[in-house]
Amino acid sequence: MQTLEVGLDNYFSIKFENDKFIFLDQTKLPLTEIYVETDYYERIAEAIERLEVRGAPQIGITAAYAMALSIKNVPQKLFQEKFDAAYKRLARTRPTAVNLFFALNEVKNEFEKFKHEKNLYAILLNKAKEIHRNDVEYCERIGENGSKIFNRKSNVLTHCNTGRLATGGDGTAFNVIKTAHSKGLVNFVYADETRPLLQGSRLTAFELEKNKIPFAIQTDSMAAVLMQQGKVDLVITGADRIALNGDTANKIGTYNLAVLCNFHNVPFYIAAPTTTIDRSLASGSGIIIEYRNKKEILNFNGHQIAPENYETFSPAFDVTPSHLITGIITEESVNFFPYNFI
Ligand code: MRU
């Protein structure tokens, strides 16, 4: 495994080059930009678990590359064994983002179809690249579709990170903001810090700065005051899993925002590719929520802030009921409540 240290003006978060998967270690951002290069699927599984690579679409794409790598340089008679082990390992990494399972199953279907081919690695790699390419296109179309919800130059509040650091392309909710900004429709962005792992203050702020979009960061508890003071025209976030009725799992704190928007009469939008829709779930009650290690609550920036014996409550995601969501933007269209994604 190789670690490259670079200080790029521009940035990429994942890429596949020379039979290696290269990712920007997001746990080190924004102070350090370190790229890690690997062709070992176990290292990639760890990267997903530790949130070195994160965001629903990006987790799916990353897992697809890992599946292809699991049979690289493996004798044909061991394809099945190695592939199954990698599938099980990657499926255990993070339970909530449905994009992970979508991508794993896409690659698995390809495996089943072509498992007797000698060049199976190349076939699976092409599948992973296709999943990646598709996401780049979905991001572009989400950005374009989403920019149509702006009817004037607006102040936007967002939560967590949904940009290039969370997808294969330029983002979902983030790319709506970026596209609208390029059309002169964004005045200012308020980025929620996003406790406990600070995807807002560390990652979204990093991307807003790279894209020269004016912004401020605030702790999650400050969103209510911003709305009370009339400083927020709309809220837009991403999603990790959307049920057929529009109930949406996203980063913990998203539900708070939806409730606040409802109270203050501020439109609340979700932006996500259709790969985030779980077509097996009628409503959000069946969404599996990931609970994270208590250390993420008891520590801040590597420093312990509360006694280790304290109990914690640490869901990584919450589910926003669909009636609180003004619209759901996908690469296909902008959908409005009531939703029926069948
Ligand atoms: O735990 P994370 O950082 O992977 O959570 C990410 C989010 O909740 C994002 O909002 C979601 O995955 C959409 S990313 C386009």
Side-chain angles (χ1 to χ4, degrees):
M1 196 190 321
Q2 198 190 345
T3 303
L4 314 165
E5 215 165 321
V6 282
L8 297 178
D9 284 341
N10 213 331
Y11 63 105
F12 69 88
S13 55
I14 52 169
K15 81 172 164 191
F16 198 89
E17 216 170 65
N18 302 326
D19 287 322
K20 297 256 166 65
F21 181 69
I22 307 170
F23 63 90
L24 180 57
D25 177 353
Q26 298 190 30
T27 62
K28 308 271 189 320
L29 288 175
L31 301 179
T32 318
E33 295 176 36
I34 292 181
Y35 284 90
V36 179
E37 198 180 289
T38 180
D39 60 358
Y40 184 31
Y41 82 82
E42 174 59 32
R43 175 68 187 90
I44 299 177
E46 282 169 18
I48 296 173
E49 271 167 357
R50 294 182 197 149
L51 273 66
E52 289 168 286
V53 169
R54 46 151 297 284
Q58 189 168 105
I59 291 170
I61 297 160
T62 299
Y65 282 125
M67 292 302 297
L69 286 170
S70 73
I71 57 152
K72 183 185 150 195
N73 297 332
V74 163
Q76 198 170 1
K77 62 175 191 301
L78 294 180
F79 278 172
Q80 186 79 53
E81 188 185 315
K82 295 286 174 192
F83 186 87
D84 288 349
Y87 183 98
K88 276 196 200 129
R89 173 70 183 97
L90 287 153
R92 272 203 320 268
T93 51
R94 299 197 71 192
T96 304
V98 77
N99 310 60
L100 169 66
F101 305 95
F102 169 84
L104 287 177
N105 289 332
E106 287 273 294
V107 181
K108 190 174 173 46
N109 290 342
E110 203 74 349
F111 180 89
E112 292 303 334
K113 249 195 269 169
F114 297 105
K115 63 182 171 191
H116 302 298
E117 302 283 337
K118 262 205 176 109
N119 64 339
L120 188 57
Y121 164 62
I123 294 171
L124 298 192
L125 187 57
N126 276 339
K127 190 68 194 173
K129 286 182 175 167
E130 180 191 312
I131 293 170
H132 193 166
R133 261 197 321 274
N134 286 345
D135 194 62
V136 172
E137 192 193 317
Y138 298 158
C139 288
E140 273 170 34
R141 281 160 51 189
I142 288 169
E144 208 40 58
N145 287 343
S147 67
K148 297 191 184 113
I149 65 174
F150 290 73
N151 48 20
R152 64 193 153 93
K153 199 163 183 170
S154 305
N155 289 345
V156 188
L157 188 145
T158 189
H159 191 69
C160 197
N161 171 267
T162 58
R164 201 178 280 180
L165 297 171
T167 61
D170 275 349
T172 57
F174 188 90
N175 203 31
V176 170
I177 295 170
K178 183 175 161 179
T179 309
H181 178 257
S182 72
K183 295 180 178 183
L185 292 167
V186 170
N187 179 54
F188 199 79
V189 178
Y190 291 101
D192 263 359
E193 173 190 48
T194 317
R195 277 283 285 154
L197 297 182
L198 313 181
Q199 288 93 331
S201 52
R202 293 190 306 107
L203 310 178
T204 298
F206 172 86
E207 297 207 64
L208 287 164
E209 188 179 34
K210 294 271 187 196
N211 284 283
K212 300 187 171 48
I213 301 173
F215 70 95
I217 52 179
Q218 69 284 336
T219 67
D220 304 348
S221 54
M222 296 167 187
V225 174
L226 281 172
M227 289 188 204
Q228 192 180 43
Q229 293 182 356
K231 290 192 170 127
V232 180
D233 297 311
L234 68 115
V235 171
I236 177 162
T237 77
D240 283 80
R241 195 182 289 237
I242 302 173
L244 292 175
N245 72 345
D247 291 350
T248 295
N250 190 49
K251 179 53 55 195
I252 191 74
T254 303
Y255 174 43
N256 303 33
L257 286 176
V259 171
L260 286 176
C261 282
N262 189 260
F263 184 81
H264 291 97
N265 210 13
V266 170
F268 176 83
Y269 286 92
I270 294 285
T274 49
T275 49
T276 304
I277 299 171
D278 184 343
R279 296 183 193 277
S280 73
L281 283 185
S283 77
S285 59
I287 297 178
I288 297 167
I289 298 293
E290 173 184 9
Y291 280 74
R292 303 280 304 172
N293 191 304
K294 65 192 282 191
K295 285 197 177 128
E296 292 180 1
I297 308 275
L298 298 178
N299 292 271
F300 189 84
N301 204 17
H303 299 285
Q304 194 175 333
I305 49 166
E308 256 170 41
N309 63 318
Y310 280 12
E311 286 302 318
T312 60
F313 175 65
S314 66
F317 303 95
D318 55 30
V319 178
T320 299
S322 61
H323 68 91
L324 294 178
I325 304 170
T326 311
I328 299 182
I329 301 152
T330 71
E331 75 279 10
E332 289 171 2
S333 52
V334 183
N335 308 271
F336 294 95
F337 181 78
Y339 307 98
N340 184 0
F341 283 112
I342 291 169

